[in-house]
Amino acid sequence: MKPFDYADAKIGTREMAILISSIILGVGVLTMPRSIAQITKSSDGWVSILIAGAIAIFFALIASKLASKFPGRTFYEFASSVVTKPIAIVITAAFSAYFIGYGAYETRMIANISKQYLFDQTPVEVIAFVFIAVMAYSVSGTQIALLRLNVLFLPIVLFILLFVLVFSTNLFEVNHLKPFFVTKSFDLIGASKESVFSFLGFEMVLFYAFLMRKPAKAPIASVIGVLIPLVLYLLVYIIAIGVFTNEGTANVQYPTVELAKEVELPGEFFERFESLFFTIWIMTVFNTASISIDVALACMRSILVSVRKPVAISGIIPVVYFIGMTPQTIGEVSLFGEWLSYIGIVLVGVVPTSLLIVSKARGIKGNG
Amino acid sequence: MRAFAPRPDAKPVDPKATMNAEYVRDLLASPTDLVLKELAIGAEGERVVVCCIDGLVDRTLVDERLLRPLMSKAPLDEAVIASPGFLVWLQDSVLPLQGASLANDLNEAVDALLAGDTVLFSDASRQALVVSSQGWKTRSIEEPQTEAIIRGPRDGFTEEIRTNTSLIRKRIRDHNLRMVSKVIGRRARKELVVAYVEGIVNPELLKEVMRRIDTLDMDDFEGSGFVEQWLADHPLSPFPTITSTERPDKVTGALLQGRIALIVEGTPFQLIVPATFTTFFQSPEDYYQNWYITTTLRVLRYLAAFIATFLPALYIALLEYHHGMLPSKLAFSLAGSREGVPFPAVVEALLMEVTLELLREAGIRLPKPIGQTIGIVGGLVIGEAAVAAGIVSPIMVIIVSITAITSFALPAYSFAISLRLLRFFIMLCAAVFGLYGIILAYIAINVHVVNLQSFGVPYTTPIAPTFLQDWKDFLFRAPVMQMSKRPEMMQTVENKRMKERE
């Protein structure tokens, strides 16, 4: 029963923007300064982040334009009306597979980093298992509840990140940022490819726009949703370079977490602040991972309509676990992440764009 | 007048008064507290039978207002006595009573009798006169035990539903205040009043509350607990989704926000629906104090809730897994104080927490004067001795004490209890996975909470879904002039509650 019209499982524009930011902020930001610093010189990487952000905003706009053309309809529904049912099935299945992989990757990363910063002996398999168990619990609730979880967690996560950034500024040296503009433009582009990976997640607007009260506002929501991480990434990157220098950043595994290590709290109550920072960061990674699995589930069930949700969950969760556990070394995990990101870029870049073009060409009118 | 549910097994009133009295006596199996007074009035010896249950009725009222006029030698009109209109005439012209009505059904009259009314049968009348005469011993209005505040009214609800409804009526003199009576309980047949303010309350919410109340079907609702658990959206959740309170000012405040109160007979704990997470951090005193004091106190309460839930778990996690996170000096002093303690931190913490819960439980059971002693013996002596004996560390005693104090700082008892339970769950998670376990437990609890609803209102309102307007009464309590609107989340019919300032 729904006596209150805001309880009708719809989300507003603000919630959509928060959701997208929350999904984009995942494990990417923890490694992002390193992968950029490895390619660029000095502090020039901010150009790459800006380029990547612009690309992300562009594709987010395309995806949200497409989604807002078909208000109240799920991805599979509008995809099948644009490009016939069989193709829609293929695309949706591809997305489902991609999101399962993405959820698995996030899980594996969180397990790896937890192992490094929080545990000495507990095996990665166990760490990942509990994470996935809680994830299974979260996706078994309603979708709208999952979205509300993002709204609850994002302020806490943003707070802790800004806290780290503010309190590490005392080690910040402007000299580390100099000289400016020494990187070749080719490298800047190359680095922006790396940072585009960290912006993956805006494509969720395709799958959640049907829940929006005013779907016409999806584009503005997704732009704001990308802008928040963009600003944060720039800050994190600049401060990381300012604190560690370019070479230093390029050589730490998780520069953002290391940044938290440098935080000196007045009153000296906490040491090793990075453990606390990372612990809280788990919240946003959890959101990213569980939303991925939720979308994977939704995609799968829109094709296989007769599968009940508990059955689908108990089918998907072990798959996520095994995919996450397959890579053996850190190198393999990174490689897995890289391949996943390539697939992701193809899916979130090419698919919505071509769907939008085809729908324009075939003159398909949504009902909005 | 009391409300009575219509009975399916109606039995018409017999024209012979003594026959009716006979029926009542047989139905109740002639109990000792049943008073049947037969009066012969009139020349023909027409009979009137007065029945009541001793102890439930106000004796002086029955004697002075009912029996005296009937038995006085003042002439009753002979013609009327024998006529079927006798009772109507009695009610209208003779008896100086406020609450009296006529019943056609004998079983209905028996229900009234068992609820403390006095029933009068007379020859030649096929009706019974039911006189409201409840007068059992009641507790006087006292200060609420569980929700004491410093500044504010001191009256609390009692077990008497009439007293309770009057406490609300006294505060809201609006003619739109509605009190709808329902009789509930197969055998208890007690009254439940649904109170709301017409013109404020969301009609859909009211409809839903009424629908759920109509499904109530049980022998007796013990206190208001069964009603609460029956009506709640998620009876299996540890979190309460209905507020219960002893304070009339809290109820009236809620009514004016567009909520609905359920006043249950026989208990001082009344229910307010819907409830969200934030309502359990609000105390009526928040509105009697200045806004910045309230804001500080609110922040303090959220902090208290956090400490009460997480502190022992954090202790376990930091000590067992992440000693590195503590500053070295503190880590050394901690380690020093734990020297000689034979148990790991988990066992130590569980031991002390269980002791604390035991003390608390024992403190309730014991007679008041001894309860104090137990507090001293338990808290001071056992704590001191346990440390001296080297079973627990002094730090642990501090942790447990802080946890106990903070859990009492929460204004809602039902909510504080759930946090107490969750504390143990989180301690176990911390014992197995350290900080990682705590954060996952926290996430899991949040997942649970976002899935909760209270009568259609998401439990996390106004945070998610976000109603920035309602944040004026969340962590921060806005100055009174700023709170000119009723909570947006209640979607009230009329939302202005005071003149808006320019």
Side-chain angles (χ1 to χ4, degrees), chain B residues 139 141-149 153-157 245-249 268-269:
Chain B
R139 194 164 62 93
I141 296 177
E142 284 163 22
E143 193 175 357
Q145 292 277 319
T146 56
E147 287 165 279
I149 60 174
R154 302 226 185 278
D155 52 349
F157 286 124
T245 181
E246 281 191 86
R247 301 195 62 91
D249 50 340
F269 289 92

Side-chain angles (χ1 to χ4, degrees), chain A residues 179-323:
Chain A
F180 300 119
F181 303 112
V182 286
T183 316
K184 282 189 229 102
S185 43
F186 180 74
D187 285 341
L188 284 179
I189 306 282
S192 69
K193 183 201 74 185
E194 292 292 326
S195 43
V196 162
F197 292 166
S198 317
F199 282 103
L200 283 178
F202 59 81
E203 72 277 9
M204 296 297 179
V205 71
L206 287 174
F207 305 94
Y208 287 113
F210 80 99
L211 285 171
M212 285 183 77
R213 213 167 287 137
K214 294 181 194 134
K217 292 230 170 137
I220 183 83
S222 47
V223 168
I224 296 172
V226 180
L227 275 177
I228 294 173
L230 175 60
V231 171
L232 287 175
Y233 284 0
L234 283 173
L235 284 174
V236 168
Y237 172 76
I238 301 271
I239 291 179
I241 299 287
V243 172
F244 298 123
T245 73
N246 184 291
E247 290 75 35
T249 312
N251 288 316
V252 255
Q253 183 71 18
Y254 307 110
T256 314
V257 187
E258 293 300 314
L259 207 56
K261 203 176 207 165
E262 304 300 323
V263 168
E264 294 268 341
L265 288 187
E268 301 209 337
F269 195 75
F270 259 117
E271 299 217 348
R272 293 187 49 189
F273 191 74
E274 79 278 11
S275 302
L276 187 69
F277 166 71
F278 172 69
T279 306
I280 292 176
W281 200 255
I282 292 178
M283 286 161 65
T284 187
V285 179
F286 177 86
N287 273 338
T288 309
S290 58
I291 288 276
S292 303
I293 301 304
D294 186 62
V295 173
L297 265 173
C299 286
M300 196 176 111
R301 289 181 65 225
S302 58
I303 305 172
L304 309 167
V305 189
S306 58
V307 180
R308 288 190 307 120
K309 199 169 181 183
V311 179
I313 291 174
S314 46
I316 274 187
I317 290 298
V319 175
V320 175
Y321 184 68
F322 285 115
I323 292 179

Side-chain angles (χ1 to χ4, degrees), chain A residues 1 3-7 14-15 114 118-119 127 131 137-138 142 145 148 152-153 268-271 275 279 282 286, chain B residues 208 322 324-325 327 433 436 439 443-444 446-448 450-451 455-458 463-467 489-491:
Chain A
M1 75 103 211
F4 292 94
D5 58 28
Y6 61 80
R14 195 191 297 122
E15 273 101 350
S114 302
L118 294 176
F119 294 102
I127 303 175
F131 189 80
Y137 176 48
S138 78
T142 58
R148 285 187 189 132
L152 283 188
F153 283 177
E268 301 209 337
F269 195 75
F270 259 117
E271 299 217 348
S275 302
T279 306
I282 292 178
F286 177 86
Chain B
E208 175 62 18
H322 321 283
M325 281 181 75
F433 290 107
Y436 184 69
I439 196 74
I443 292 174
N446 271 286
V447 169
H448 173 71
V450 291
N451 275 299
F455 287 81
V457 180
I463 315 163
T466 322
F467 290 98
M489 56 184 263
M490 293 311 305
Q491 301 206 326

Side-chain angles (χ1 to χ4, degrees), chain A residues 29-108:
Chain A
V29 64
L30 302 182
T31 53
M32 182 266 301
R34 168 173 55 94
S35 41
I36 294 177
Q38 280 170 347
I39 301 175
T40 59
K41 293 201 185 79
S42 185
S43 63
D44 293 344
W46 64 269
V47 184
S48 315
I49 298 180
L50 265 188
I51 297 173
I55 296 172
I57 289 179
F58 175 71
F59 282 111
L61 271 175
I62 288 184
S64 47
K65 272 267 173 343
L66 175 66
S68 59
K69 266 186 82 150
F70 305 92
R73 291 166 75 184
T74 63
F75 177 74
Y76 174 69
E77 283 165 11
F78 67 70
S80 19
S81 72
V82 175
V83 286
T84 70
K85 222 162 186 179
I87 302 179
I89 289 179
V90 173
I91 297 174
T92 314
F95 266 117
S96 186
Y98 163 66
F99 285 122
I100 290 177
Y102 196 66
Y105 171 69
E106 296 271 326
T107 310
R108 179 57 193 265

